Amino acid sequence: MAAASVASQAQAVLRARLCDPGFVHSALRSSPDTNYSKLKYLVASSISEACNNSVLLLGPRGCGKAAVVDMVLEDLKKEHPDAISVIRLNGMLHSDDNCATKEIARQLCLEHQLSFSKMASSDDNTEFIIDMLRECGLAHKTILFILEEFDLFAQGKQRLLYSLLDAMQSLTSQAVVIGLSCRLDADQLLEKRVRSRFSHRKLLFVPSSLDDIKRLVEHLLIMAKDSSLPAKYITDYNSRLTNIFSDKKFKGILNSLMDADATTSNILRFLFRTVSYMDMESGFLSMESFLNALSAMQRQPKMDSLQDLSILELYILVCMHRLEDKEQSSYNFTSIMKEYRSIQDAYKTSDKYASTVCFRAFEHLLDRELISFGDIRGRNQALEYRPVKLLISSRELAQSLKLNTTCPAVLQKLFDRERYM
Amino acid sequence: MSQPVTPRRTTRSSAGSASDPASPTPQSKSMPKSTLRRQLIPAAAAAAKDEEEEGENDRSTVDLLLEALPGRRAQASDLLRLLAPAPALPLLLYGGAATGKTRALLLALRHIRPRPHRVAYAALRSLPSPRALFASLLSQLSPPPSSSSASSRQRVNDKPSDFVAALRDALAGLCTQGDAVYLVFDNLEVVKSWDKGTQLIGLILRLHDLLRLPQVVLVYVSSATPDAYYSMTGSIEPNHIYFPDYTVDEVRVILMRGHPNPKLYSSFLSVALKPLFRVTRRVDELGAALEPLFRRYCEPLGDSKVVLDESIKRRLFEHIQPHLAVAMNETFSVPTRASVDQCNDTGGKASTKRQFGNRDSLTELEFHMSVSAKYLLLSAFLASRNPATLDAALFDSTGGSDNHKRKRKSSQASMNMKDTMVEEMLMKGPGTFPLERLLAIFQCITSVSEDSLDDVESSANMMNGSGMTGLMSDVLLQLSTLCNSNFISKSRSCPLEGSARYRSNVDQDLALKVSTL
């Protein structure tokens, strides 16, 4: 029992670590010349020198942009406790201008303990924001605007961006605008007048290299001596883990992960799964848990779907494939039925079914998204007459026919034979 | 092509819950599936308060779960490990329809330790719009006091930003104790077909980042594969768990559960399951198809409790075989009076032989249509399937065979053209025709049939003179009836011509059935 509780405790500690972005990226604090230090220097200098600034953080998803911003904010709040107030906006939610001004006003009210009225109109909110900017400027308080999904703000008329950046041009205001986006060309989306008010500072985030990832994995999984778990367990656990890290198989695992997606969030998902597969009786991570996690992450959904099909559905797919091989540019359910009937007449299999049953199988294939309609819903046609197309390649179909143990031999023959025709 | 009607059977949920004391009683068939799930959800949270003293360790949790979910060992253990304890990354369960995803999830939520503080379940299939989704989730998380129901209706918000703010407030209130709150989104693929669905899906999948609350765990259930949710700008991927379809043996185990007559049913399944499995692998459709077949199978036994041996099994097999062949070609069977009478008469051998032998041939229409409606339907069918230029040749008053044109040997080019025309016909489907053409064809057909009907109607002399008008009367009424029953569909009127165009929706089999008067 004691071992089980230690294991579950350890698992809880590790899981909490993995889900906490602050912990994950805390190693960045110590290393010099990272984006974290650059951003911190920028914001800190604009606070201390009481000037306005704007910066864009660009990089693919899961590379730690939001985490870096959070860390910088945490540090600055400790250093200058009263000198900053933070407004956070998200492009997914607040891209509409009225929504955005309402949200800014609401957050400003929250920070300064004012009461916010939901009935206030958009003009009232805008006036309020401008007044607050002036007041904060006079009081030497910097307002930090953090705009996540910056590219979504740049759709439409970009009124919010223009008004924010324009308000920053006045002498009395002190504001920093930090934009985060996953589009690397987010600044190209800005209008001319907005871009001219924007200082072209960009910080680029790239997915990590293999060494960075190794260091990250060690940082996340190796447990420090001072935690609440028994010391012997920690030493055992750490030694086993270092053995695993030096194993060649582990390097292979990391390489195959990085080939697909080298971002931090992918590694975090992998480690989370590994930690969940921890052997609860001994409480140690083994190579098996790493391998299981990797195979669970690397499934191929379409191949799995193909294994789940019934024989009739496979027949329909093979008929569609034959029609495509005969270079019929578009075909629909009635042509598939014609092909099916001709196959049944030629080979006299036991799998001849009525049209309604075949149509039900056809609808199942549509639900699984292995086939789809070829036209957009323009003409109000019955489902039997709309053109369809295959969404799987012939290689996938061939492989699935081979792997299917209950597949009748005639299907395999039908699939192969068309190569020679 | 409608869904089969599910007759009363021991559903998986009710069979599974029989072993669990804190479960709802098995529901009758009229209760839709979603209410059964909704009863599982408060039970999931309420079970926390009921079963405090059960000293279960981890092994029996998994075993209990596996008993209720046959064939799902790997998925159940994955679920238990990935869901608890909080904090946890979001989770996506995907697999085909009727593979037990929701059931496995809700049962797992009952069995995980530590118990969840609250489980909020959004049944997206039964919610019509984003606003309903927001309202449903918020009401489950913070039930409004009953007195202020009028004011709460005003607060129903439509915008995502308001929703996220309200959700954050509600969750922050719940999470203060440190217990986990689980948000379940079921049937996520339905959102794609909503208005502005793609944005909403992006929002739902990124709730984990937007909320930033470590005690909230998000679980998504979808029958579409994860690559349906990849958008152009990417989103944080959840952990996946895949639910494959059941194999034949697993389906057998599922169908056998809780059956009152296991030996008889297992011998029946060994005969009937494999052939039906070739057509479809979905458990709900198989159950619906097997139910009437099992009743047929038990017929020769009568009421006597007979010990099953080989001879009886063979007799039952011979009895069921023709019905099995018929059942494999049906998706949906409504027992009509005629078929019920057929199976009750003593000349069972003759009727079954007819059914078996004439599997491909035409049976009679199962519903009644008046004569003029039948003629109208046929003329619509002809009008749709033949181009207007052939009308003169087809409906020639002299019978159409008087042309004395020499039959030229068709050349290769004309045969190719004919093939392409046939393929085009297959592709395009039935064509449209104006009302005048329909009426013209109708008149032609009925005038031809009038001569053959004269001998039949010799007694009704009064009708003879007005025989044609007898069939022609109320033609527009018949037409509107046929339109309402979707045999003929009416398209919007062409802006140039100004008259409405119609299209026939019947296929050839039905037309042939109608024509056997």
Side-chain angles (χ1 to χ4, degrees):
Chain A
M1 235 349 127
S5 72
V6 165
S8 48
Q9 239 184 322
Q11 196 186 49
V13 164
L14 287 172
R15 280 168 75 120
R17 272 193 199 178
L18 288 169
C19 296
D20 177 18
F23 183 87
V24 168
H25 296 267
S26 56
L28 287 174
R29 272 181 223 244
S30 42
S31 46
D33 202 28
T34 53
N35 284 330
Y36 161 76
S37 51
K38 288 184 204 162
L39 184 64
K40 185 165 173 192
Y41 174 71
L42 184 75
V43 181
S45 60
S46 60
I47 292 178
S48 48
E49 290 166 23
C51 61
N52 295 308
N53 238 323
S54 50
V55 66
L56 268 187
L57 303 178
L58 305 174
R61 279 206 196 274
C63 283
K65 306 185 285 290
V68 161
V69 169
D70 285 337
M71 285 201 315
V72 166
L73 284 180
E74 227 182 277
D75 289 347
L76 288 177
K77 278 208 178 112
K78 278 190 239 155
E79 290 173 21
H80 312 266
D82 272 329
I84 51 175
S85 66
V86 180
I87 310 286
R88 301 186 95 109
L89 292 176
N90 193 311
M92 285 186 70
L93 306 173
H94 307 129
S95 55
D96 177 33
D97 289 322
N98 295 338
C99 261
T101 44
K102 189 166 156 188
E103 182 68 18
I104 296 178
R106 190 183 72 89
Q107 290 192 21
L108 278 174
C109 289
L110 207 60
E111 284 244 6
H112 298 268
Q113 275 104 31
L114 302 167
S115 62
F116 173 69
S117 147
K118 289 194 191 153
M119 296 298 134
S121 74
S122 160
D123 292 331
D124 291 341
N125 285 334
T126 328
E127 250 185 67
F128 172 67
I129 294 171
I130 296 181
D131 288 341
M132 280 301 286
L133 274 176
R134 199 181 19 199
E135 287 295 322
C136 287
L138 291 174
H140 289 292
K141 203 166 170 181
T142 315
I143 302 190
L144 290 172
F145 289 95
I146 300 183
L147 303 174
E148 297 181 15
E149 314 287 343
F150 187 76
D151 47 310
L152 294 176
F153 282 113
Q155 290 167 354
K157 283 221 181 124
Q158 303 180 9
R159 257 187 291 166
L160 173 73
L161 288 178
Y162 176 70
S163 48
L164 270 185
L165 291 173
D166 198 35
M168 276 170 37
Q169 301 289 331
S170 67
L171 284 173
T172 53
S173 71
Q174 263 180 255
V176 180
V177 172
I178 303 177
L180 289 86
S181 172
C182 63
R183 283 183 69 157
L184 296 177
D185 61 343
D187 55 337
Q188 312 290 336
L189 300 169
L190 298 174
E191 275 179 11
K192 184 166 161 299
R193 58 177 185 167
V194 177
R195 200 182 317 167
S196 59
R197 286 171 175 73
F198 179 72
S199 74
H200 291 253
R201 267 189 214 90
K202 286 192 279 192
L203 290 175
L204 205 55
F205 284 73
V206 289
S208 341
S209 63
L210 186 60
D211 296 324
D212 290 337
I213 288 192
K214 276 207 213 139
R215 258 181 275 137
L216 180 69
V217 173
E218 283 168 22
H219 167 69
L220 286 171
L221 290 182
I222 302 263
M223 283 208 254
K225 294 273 191 274
D226 53 353
S227 54
S228 54
L229 298 161
K232 181 173 179 316
Y233 167 75
I234 292 186
T235 36
D236 280 342
Y237 170 86
N238 286 343
S239 62
R240 273 186 202 234
L241 214 49
T242 32
N243 284 345
I244 292 180
F245 288 159
S246 47
D247 194 344
K248 223 176 14 167
K249 263 198 267 184
F250 185 74
K251 291 194 185 54
I253 292 177
L254 277 190
N255 274 331
S256 73
L257 262 184
M258 283 187 53
D259 282 342
D261 188 356
T263 55
T264 319
S265 64
N266 197 26
I267 307 291
L268 282 180
R269 265 198 318 145
F270 168 67
L271 291 177
F272 185 84
R273 229 175 163 129
T274 315
V275 166
S276 304
Y277 288 165
M278 180 197 272
D279 182 14
M280 290 315 276
E281 291 178 351
S282 62
F284 299 125
L285 289 174
S286 62
M287 181 58 84
E288 222 187 292
S289 26
F290 284 98
L291 286 170
N292 286 344
L294 185 69
S295 65
M297 277 182 62
Q298 286 183 340
R299 298 205 75 109
Q300 296 188 342
K302 286 264 189 308
M303 290 302 299
D304 291 333
S305 298
L306 280 172
Q307 291 305 308
D308 283 342
L309 295 180
S310 67
I311 306 287
L312 179 59
E313 291 158 6
L314 282 175
Y315 261 100
I316 293 185
L317 283 180
V318 168
C319 289
M320 288 176 77
H321 192 258
R322 285 171 68 96
L323 285 175
E324 285 201 350
D325 250 14
K326 287 184 195 169
E327 312 231 350
Q328 273 202 1
S329 54
S330 69
Y331 49 88
N332 58 15
F333 179 69
T334 40
S335 7
I336 296 173
M337 274 296 105
K338 188 164 150 243
E339 176 77 17
Y340 176 70
R341 295 267 150 69
S342 67
I343 289 180
Q344 298 300 333
D345 293 334
Y347 289 91
K348 306 251 185 303
T349 64
S350 62
D351 281 314
K352 181 159 187 185
Y353 300 110
S355 180
T356 47
V357 178
C358 295
F359 191 72
R360 183 176 68 175
F362 184 74
E363 285 187 327
H364 287 176
L365 287 174
L366 281 171
D367 285 338
R368 284 186 193 267
E369 297 198 353
L370 291 170
I371 62 182
S372 85
F373 288 122
D375 60 348
I376 329 166
R377 267 193 102 172
R379 292 182 61 190
N380 199 2
Q381 263 187 324
L383 287 180
E384 291 103 321
Y385 293 104
R386 286 178 69 183
V388 291
K389 57 180 195 246
L390 271 177
L391 290 180
I392 48 174
S393 66
S394 58
R395 193 178 59 82
E396 286 171 334
L397 189 55
Q399 208 177 345
S400 76
L401 284 177
K402 278 203 200 74
L403 289 174
N404 195 330
T405 46
T406 54
C407 165
V410 66
L411 257 188
Q412 190 72 45
K413 227 185 350 177
L414 282 169
F415 186 78
D416 293 332
R417 184 166 288 214
E418 59 195 84
R419 309 252 168 226
Y420 304 113
M421 277 206 227
Chain B
M1 313 281 172
S2 44
Q3 287 293 320
V5 170
T6 329
R8 179 193 221 128
R9 58 185 170 98
T10 36
T11 61
R12 288 165 282 150
S13 322
S14 61
S17 60
S19 59
D20 202 317
S23 65
T25 51
Q27 307 293 324
S28 66
K29 70 170 173 176
S30 56
M31 188 90 59
K33 213 167 159 203
S34 55
T35 25
L36 197 57
R37 286 183 201 155
R38 271 195 224 121
Q39 295 199 343
L40 277 176
I41 297 143
K49 308 193 180 80
D50 291 344
E51 301 171 8
E52 280 297 319
E53 275 76 46
E54 291 194 33
E56 305 167 2
N57 47 9
D58 279 331
R59 282 195 58 125
S60 70
T61 329
V62 181
D63 290 338
L64 271 180
L65 200 54
L66 288 174
E67 260 180 43
L69 300 167
R72 290 274 176 245
R73 168 167 282 274
Q75 284 79 25
S77 55
D78 266 359
L79 268 178
L80 286 177
R81 285 175 177 188
L82 286 173
L83 277 180
L89 294 181
L91 193 59
L92 172 70
L93 283 72
Y94 69 98
T99 44
K101 306 182 285 288
T102 309
R103 181 170 148 73
L105 175 66
L106 294 176
L107 283 175
L109 281 176
R110 256 202 256 183
H111 290 276
I112 49 175
R113 303 282 177 281
R115 313 267 190 182
H117 177 64
R118 189 76 68 95
V119 175
Y121 177 82
L124 286 166
R125 203 186 275 281
S126 48
L127 293 169
S129 68
R131 179 190 284 236
L133 167 66
F134 300 157
S136 148
L137 270 181
L138 287 174
S139 69
Q140 286 184 55
L141 287 173
S142 55
S146 50
S147 56
S148 64
S149 56
S151 63
S152 66
R153 212 171 294 133
Q154 289 169 4
R155 282 188 291 123
V156 159
N157 35 31
D158 208 2
K159 296 220 166 94
S161 55
D162 296 335
F163 167 63
V164 171
L167 190 63
R168 198 179 284 135
D169 293 336
L171 286 170
L174 280 178
C175 291
T176 44
Q177 294 94 327
D179 286 333
V181 175
Y182 286 79
L183 293 180
V184 179
F185 290 89
D186 201 1
N187 293 123
L188 197 57
E189 72 277 359
V190 171
V191 181
K192 277 199 289 185
S193 56
W194 283 358
D195 211 17
K196 292 202 224 164
T198 36
Q199 292 170 12
L200 190 60
I201 281 203
L203 177 72
I204 292 178
L205 287 172
R206 300 209 56 201
L207 267 183
H208 179 79
D209 285 334
L210 288 174
L211 290 176
R212 287 165 200 249
L213 291 168
Q215 294 303 104
V216 175
V217 182
L218 293 158
V219 188
Y220 310 103
V221 180
S222 143
S223 57
T225 51
D227 39 356
Y229 301 113
Y230 295 161
S231 65
M232 290 245 285
T233 52
S235 57
I236 306 295
E237 270 199 57
N239 277 318
H240 305 316
I241 295 185
Y242 171 61
F243 279 72
D245 270 37
Y246 294 109
T247 61
V248 180
D249 305 314
E250 289 166 355
V251 172
R252 207 194 156 100
V253 168
I254 288 175
L255 290 171
M256 292 279 302
R257 292 178 68 143
H259 202 270
N261 206 342
K263 276 208 170 136
L264 188 60
Y265 201 61
S266 84
S267 67
F268 164 66
L269 280 183
S270 56
V271 168
L273 186 58
K274 276 239 169 69
L276 279 179
F277 204 70
R278 288 173 81 93
V279 176
T280 171
R281 285 174 72 162
R282 280 174 59 162
V283 181
D284 46 354
E285 291 172 358
L286 285 172
L290 287 171
E291 174 75 21
L293 277 178
F294 183 60
R295 271 186 265 129
R296 281 287 168 85
Y297 187 73
C298 299
E299 269 166 14
L301 288 181
D303 284 331
S304 58
K305 301 276 182 198
V306 161
V307 171
L308 282 178
D309 57 352
E310 284 308 313
S311 63
I312 295 193
K313 278 195 198 169
R314 206 168 307 131
R315 188 160 66 96
L316 293 173
F317 172 67
E318 281 167 12
H319 176 81
I320 196 71
Q321 175 128 17
H323 299 288
L324 192 60
V326 171
M328 294 225 288
N329 269 323
E330 288 176 344
T331 55
F332 176 92
S333 74
V334 175
T336 60
R337 187 178 293 259
S339 58
V340 166
D341 289 340
Q342 256 177 12
C343 66
N344 276 348
D345 65 16
T346 49
K349 259 269 162 71
S351 61
T352 50
K353 217 182 267 182
R354 183 176 82 101
Q355 274 188 14
F356 184 48
N358 293 355
R359 191 183 4 146
D360 290 335
S361 71
L362 315 160
T363 54
E364 289 178 3
L365 264 191
E366 287 104 10
F367 48 89
H368 173 75
M369 278 175 84
S370 65
V371 172
S372 65
K374 285 190 184 176
Y375 273 119
L376 197 59
L377 190 59
L378 283 177
S379 18
F381 178 72
L382 288 172
S384 265
R385 301 290 163 141
N386 298 320
T389 47
L390 278 185
D391 278 353
L394 276 176
F395 299 113
D396 201 354
S397 54
T398 57
S401 56
D402 274 359
N403 288 0
H404 296 302
K405 270 210 196 128
R406 260 182 308 129
K407 199 157 178 272
R408 267 179 277 152
K409 223 169 74 168
S410 23
S411 62
Q412 187 63 27
S414 68
M415 272 186 16
N416 285 349
M417 237 177 56
K418 275 197 202 143
D419 284 343
T420 48
M421 264 180 55
V422 164
E423 274 181 24
E424 254 189 58
M425 281 291 298
L426 273 184
M427 278 303 296
K428 278 200 312 199
T432 58
F433 49 85
L435 185 59
E436 296 85 22
R437 187 168 162 227
L438 174 68
L439 292 177
I441 298 181
F442 183 67
Q443 277 194 0
C444 278
I445 299 184
T446 50
S447 65
V448 167
S449 74
E450 267 301 299
D451 312 327
S452 56
L453 273 179
D454 264 339
D455 353 320
V456 178
E457 288 183 3
S458 55
S459 55
N461 281 333
M462 261 191 294
M463 292 288 288
N464 259 352
S466 56
M468 172 119 101
T469 51
L471 280 176
M472 275 294 288
S473 69
D474 300 320
V475 121
L476 291 179
L477 186 64
Q478 295 285 359
L479 186 62
S480 74
T481 314
L482 287 175
C483 283
N484 283 340
S485 4
N486 217 21
F487 285 117
I488 299 181
S489 56
K490 181 174 172 175
S491 58
R492 270 175 300 187
S493 50
C494 167
L496 288 177
E497 287 180 49
S499 64
R501 292 185 79 90
Y502 297 85
R503 186 199 297 263
S504 135
N505 284 339
V506 298
D507 59 347
Q508 203 167 355
D509 296 332
L510 187 61
L512 284 170
K513 275 194 212 172
V514 165
S515 62
T516 56
L517 279 168

